[in-house]
Amino acid sequence: MSISKNITTLIKDIPDYVQLVAVSKTKSNEEIMQAYHAGQRIFGENKIQDMTRKHEELPKDIQWHMIGHVQSNKVKYMASYVRLIHGIDSLKLLKEINKQAQKNNRIIDCLLQIHIAEEESKFGLSVDECQQAIERAKDLPHIQIKGLMGMATFTENQNQIAKEFEGLKNLYDQLIKQNIPLEILSMGMSGDYHIAFQKGSNMIRVGSKIFGPRNS
Ligand SMILES: *Cc1c(COP(=O)(O)O)cnc(C)c1O
């Protein structure tokens, strides 16, 4: 299968309202351009340095999403162009993004990463920390909290994955009921995006299913 066919197949497989982030981490410009020529414009990277290089080298109508863990001291390298930051997991990071966005005269869209997996290893805020971050973000005029992001446990157990996604969707709905204007629920990857959109995801982050396996 080719990258462009994979994209076309995937698009047919997901509902219209679900946005596809093509996760291009470790992939070459040539591979990304194959997806681009198939119509894909949203790409996700997990290293700021790689994303910035690709942003400089590739067409300017690509929207770059930072999906990885972000170190505060590197925010400045992407603040001028990043379209959406998925992995916000601290207030400190929010403040730094606000500061760098201000320098660039922009408002940067952010998602709060919520810890939904069983594994300790995964990053993310607890429900309480999420509520706090939303409160504090009201004083940060150069960021906009657009929604939530989560990663399920890496497991074969579909029920567990479904439960974790359901938990995140419930939190998302609760916040909307509290008049917090969220619009993006980023959950689902190559192995679990079907479960994710059944559970209410409207943004999936898919890498290997488009570009094939990664070596690193
Ligand atoms: C790598 C990555 C993905 C994509 O993973 P695949 O299983 O290759 O689809 C999605 N989200 C995050 C946060 C990632 O780091």
Side-chain angles (χ1 to χ4, degrees), residues 136-153:
R136 298 296 301 277
K138 291 177 181 163
D139 304 327
L140 303 174
H142 289 272
I143 56 162
Q144 178 78 40
I145 307 280
K146 283 276 179 185
L148 307 180
M149 180 273 222
M151 289 172 85
T153 302

Side-chain angles (χ1 to χ4, degrees), residues 6-7 19 21 39 52 58 65 80 88 90 95 109-110 126 132 134-135 154 158 164-165 172 181 200 215-216:
N6 292 345
I7 292 266
Q19 282 203 301
V21 179
T52 299
L58 292 169
H65 287 199
S80 67
I88 309 293
S90 74
K95 285 181 187 161
D109 290 343
C110 297
S126 68
Q132 274 171 29
I134 287 171
E135 270 312 302
F154 187 70
Q158 312 275 301
E164 291 174 358
F165 284 156
Y172 178 78
N215 304 317
S216 47

Side-chain angles (χ1 to χ4, degrees), residues 1 14-15 21 31 40 45-46 60 71 77 109 118 134 175 180-181 210 215:
M1 285 292 266
I14 61 179
V21 179
E31 289 166 299
Q40 183 65 24
E45 291 279 331
N46 69 340
K60 291 298 172 277
Q71 286 170 274
Y77 301 115
D109 290 343
E118 211 169 56
I134 287 171
L175 294 168
I180 296 153
I210 295 172
N215 304 317

Side-chain angles (χ1 to χ4, degrees), residues 98-112:
N98 182 66
K99 182 174 143 190
Q100 297 301 333
Q102 181 169 24
K103 280 191 189 166
N104 285 276
N105 211 3
R106 309 181 58 203
I107 294 172
I108 296 182
D109 290 343
C110 297
L111 305 181
L112 298 176

Side-chain angles (χ1 to χ4, degrees), residues 74-82 85 96-97 99-101 103-104 106 108:
K74 295 200 176 141
V75 171
K76 56 178 177 282
Y77 301 115
M78 64 174 170
S80 67
Y81 71 89
V82 68
I85 303 176
E96 178 62 18
I97 295 167
K99 182 174 143 190
Q100 297 301 333
K103 280 191 189 166
N104 285 276
R106 309 181 58 203
I108 296 182

Side-chain angles (χ1 to χ4, degrees), residues 20-181:
L20 171 64
V21 179
V23 175
S24 51
K25 61 192 185 194
T26 78
K27 299 298 172 182
S28 67
N29 287 357
E30 289 69 28
E31 289 166 299
I32 294 171
M33 284 311 290
Q34 287 178 42
Y36 181 90
H37 288 310
Q40 183 65 24
R41 290 295 179 273
I42 306 176
F43 291 88
E45 291 279 331
N46 69 340
K47 294 205 175 99
I48 293 174
Q49 208 170 350
D50 292 346
M51 184 171 78
T52 299
R53 180 179 49 76
K54 290 172 181 178
H55 161 72
E56 283 164 5
E57 294 172 357
L58 292 169
K60 291 298 172 277
D61 61 343
I62 291 179
Q63 302 175 20
W64 292 101
H65 287 199
M66 174 42 58
I67 61 165
H69 187 246
V70 178
Q71 286 170 274
S72 294
N73 61 347
K74 295 200 176 141
V75 171
K76 56 178 177 282
Y77 301 115
M78 64 174 170
S80 67
Y81 71 89
V82 68
R83 183 60 69 98
L84 183 65
I85 303 176
H86 289 235
I88 309 293
D89 64 351
S90 74
L91 250 180
K92 180 182 166 219
L93 183 55
L94 272 183
K95 285 181 187 161
E96 178 62 18
I97 295 167
N98 182 66
K99 182 174 143 190
Q100 297 301 333
Q102 181 169 24
K103 280 191 189 166
N104 285 276
N105 211 3
R106 309 181 58 203
I107 294 172
I108 296 182
D109 290 343
C110 297
L111 305 181
L112 298 176
Q113 183 171 356
I114 311 301
H115 190 274
I116 56 170
E118 211 169 56
E119 299 133 291
E120 278 298 312
S121 60
K122 298 219 161 113
F123 292 102
L125 304 165
S126 68
V127 172
D128 284 349
E129 289 168 334
C130 166
Q131 296 266 11
Q132 274 171 29
I134 287 171
E135 270 312 302
R136 298 296 301 277
K138 291 177 181 163
D139 304 327
L140 303 174
H142 289 272
I143 56 162
Q144 178 78 40
I145 307 280
K146 283 276 179 185
L148 307 180
M149 180 273 222
M151 289 172 85
T153 302
F154 187 70
T155 173
E156 293 291 309
N157 184 342
Q158 312 275 301
N159 287 332
Q160 183 177 354
I161 296 172
K163 260 193 207 153
E164 291 174 358
F165 284 156
E166 210 168 275
L168 187 56
K169 173 66 158 75
N170 287 340
L171 175 61
Y172 178 78
D173 288 344
Q174 256 181 51
L175 294 168
I176 290 174
K177 271 195 202 136
Q178 295 169 30
N179 288 321
I180 296 153

